[in-house]
Amino acid sequence: MFQDRLVSYSGVQPSGNLTIGNYLGAIRNFSLYSEKYKCFYCVVDEHAITVRQNPAELRRRTYETLALYMACGLDPEKNTLYVQSHVHEHAELAWILNCFTGFGELSRMTQFKDKSQKHADNINAGLFTYPVLMAADILLYQTDVVPVGIDQKQHVELCRDIAERFNQIHPDTFTIPEPIVSKSGMKIMSLADPTKKMSKSDENANAVVYILDDRDTIIRKFKRAVTDSDTSVRFAEGKDGINNLMTIYSCFTGKTMEEIEREFEGHGYGDFKLAVGEVCADALAPVQEKFHALLKDKAALEAQMKKGAEEASYYARRTLGKVQKKLGFVKI
Ligand code: AQP
């Protein structure tokens, strides 16, 4: 807590073009927290390098992710928007927390298992300790709540365990954070393989709808989405493709599964896929318009990065100083 406000913290990696999974699972909901909480939203570029990145693309996407935050309604006057590598305390606290985290705990992380399969040629130590850096991100700001997609809930739970362990040895150091997975923020799955999460780093661009895809591309991708041999639009076990499309439609329209089933009774999958594509394209159009306007002014984005880093550093410095003192580090 800072002053009289609870703190909310979340981040997105600039590791690829952002998807409707990132949008529906996380970013779209971020602005809802601004009134009630003191909010920190970070572009986590240090997390992104756990997988090889092309430097020019990483730089471009860092600007783009910040612009998307703002295009999705995050007001930089009400929220602290910044880039992780601009606040060196993240990496420093991560090292300390590494010494309070078990090898076994990290080995159990689903994302590590998935990513080490996907990047078998580069299973680096950073990929393994990714959740510790994430714990440092969260704990530096004495965070109360962490709005995330369901896929990141396990990491927030580990962060709680690390903080509780540290507090047991050094009482009253960290606030214990709670993950918040919004109702609409369920896992959005790949359009090509609906048993797999939709991810920005997927090599198959048809499996993923990007926030910045144009209308025709969005509709084409939904038309090609993998479904099943049944014909009725129903939410049921074994219908992963249709369930995923119904989830996306529900997130964009606010309709329940029963309402969607009634709406498409007697219609084939073709009509339904077109409708999903249309609501998605309609919802993303104003975000895209704002994004392109913001991206034109790079100097303004850089000024925003600087302002955000200064604000974040103020809080991060306080927590890191407290931790170093409790550990017995000599201050000069
Ligand atoms: N498919 C998804 N459905 C719901 N929420 C999702 N999120 C990501 N994908 C989905 C949420 O978006 C936020 C930011 O994610 P991230 O960039 O930090 O990392 P990630 O979860 O690893 O996302 P990606 O797209 O899968 O990235 P890559 O391909 O680089 O690993 C998080 O709150 C996440 O829950």
Side-chain angles (χ1 to χ4, degrees):
M1 170 141 6
F2 278 118
Q3 283 131 22
D4 56 344
R5 293 177 85 196
L6 294 175
V7 175
S8 166
Y9 188 95
S10 206
V12 174
Q13 299 182 76
S15 50
N17 296 324
L18 300 195
T19 74
I20 57 165
N22 300 127
Y23 180 70
L24 297 174
I27 305 178
R28 182 177 77 155
N29 310 312
F30 285 173
S31 62
L32 306 176
Y33 296 88
S34 306
E35 296 306 325
K36 186 165 167 206
Y37 298 95
K38 163 78 193 145
C39 294
F40 295 87
Y41 292 115
C42 187
V43 181
V44 290
D45 54 349
E46 290 174 331
H47 277 97
I49 62 161
T50 52
V51 169
R52 289 277 174 271
Q53 301 291 336
N54 170 307
E57 282 181 21
L58 180 65
R59 205 167 291 123
R60 172 177 61 81
R61 288 184 187 131
T62 300
Y63 284 95
E64 288 182 358
T65 307
L66 184 75
L68 263 181
Y69 274 166
M70 294 198 260
C72 291
L74 286 179
D75 177 350
E77 296 308 317
K78 290 191 184 155
N79 303 275
T80 301
L81 310 180
Y82 73 104
V83 177
Q84 188 181 30
S85 63
H86 294 165
V87 180
H88 61 80
E89 285 83 357
H90 287 249
E92 289 179 57
L93 182 62
W95 172 254
I96 293 170
L97 297 181
N98 266 319
C99 305
F100 289 80
T101 308
F103 182 87
E105 287 177 308
L106 291 174
S107 312
R108 285 192 288 277
M109 294 296 111
T110 314
Q111 180 178 286
F112 172 68
K113 290 186 209 159
D114 288 350
K115 288 206 172 169
S116 43
Q117 260 181 12
K118 218 159 129 187
H119 305 280
D121 56 337
N122 180 25
I123 308 177
N124 60 72
L127 196 61
F128 189 62
T129 58
Y130 179 114
V132 184
L133 179 58
M134 183 165 157
D137 301 339
I138 296 167
L139 299 178
L140 266 181
Y141 301 93
Q142 304 294 352
T143 299
D144 297 280
V145 298
V146 187
V148 277
I150 188 89
D151 59 309
Q152 289 290 340
K153 193 164 171 249
Q154 192 186 31
H155 287 167
V156 182
E157 277 157 5
L158 177 61
C159 168
R160 288 168 59 85
D161 293 343
I162 299 171
E164 277 165 3
R165 186 171 305 139
F166 194 99
N167 281 354
Q168 247 171 21
I169 306 170
H170 306 287
D172 303 322
T173 307
F174 296 121
T175 301
I176 308 297
E178 287 284 344
I180 301 190
V181 180
S182 76
K183 255 196 252 155
S184 63
M186 53 275 291
K187 217 195 263 186
I188 305 300
M189 310 306 274
S190 152
L191 298 189
D193 176 358
T195 61
K196 247 179 52 188
K197 184 180 105 160
M198 183 182 284
S199 268
K200 56 177 116 64
S201 58
D202 198 315
E203 277 161 16
N204 177 3
N206 288 322
V208 180
V209 177
Y210 300 105
I211 300 179
L212 298 174
D213 274 344
D214 62 49
R215 188 178 186 84
D216 290 348
T217 307
I218 293 174
I219 290 175
R220 177 176 52 76
K221 286 182 177 177
F222 278 112
K223 276 189 182 162
R224 292 176 58 166
V226 168
T227 48
D228 52 58
S229 54
D230 187 16
T231 48
S232 57
V233 176
R234 277 184 305 119
F235 195 92
E237 211 174 316
K239 288 170 69 75
D240 296 328
I242 285 294
N243 293 350
N244 187 37
L245 295 181
M246 288 179 75
T247 302
I248 295 170
Y249 192 72
S250 164
C251 286
F252 281 119
T253 59
K255 292 180 184 165
T256 63
M257 295 306 166
E258 293 73 29
E259 285 169 335
I260 300 170
E261 286 174 2
R262 275 200 297 279
E263 184 178 347
F264 290 95
E265 217 176 306
H267 291 264
Y269 284 172
D271 290 349
F272 177 53
K273 286 175 169 182
L274 179 64
V276 183
E278 282 176 341
V279 293
C280 176
D282 288 347
L284 294 180
V287 173
Q288 296 176 352
E289 198 181 320
K290 277 189 217 141
F291 168 83
H292 290 299
L294 286 161
L295 206 65
K296 276 191 195 139
D297 193 348
K298 222 169 154 187
L301 287 175
E302 281 167 3
Q304 179 46 54
M305 283 180 191
K306 194 158 180 285
K307 173 176 166 289
E310 281 164 6
E311 278 170 23
S313 295
Y314 169 77
Y315 297 103
R317 235 186 348 257
R318 283 202 333 199
T319 302
L320 185 68
K322 181 175 169 188
V323 169
Q324 289 173 327
K325 195 169 163 201
K326 293 208 175 207
L327 287 169
F329 289 0
V330 173
K331 199 172 160 68
I332 49 166

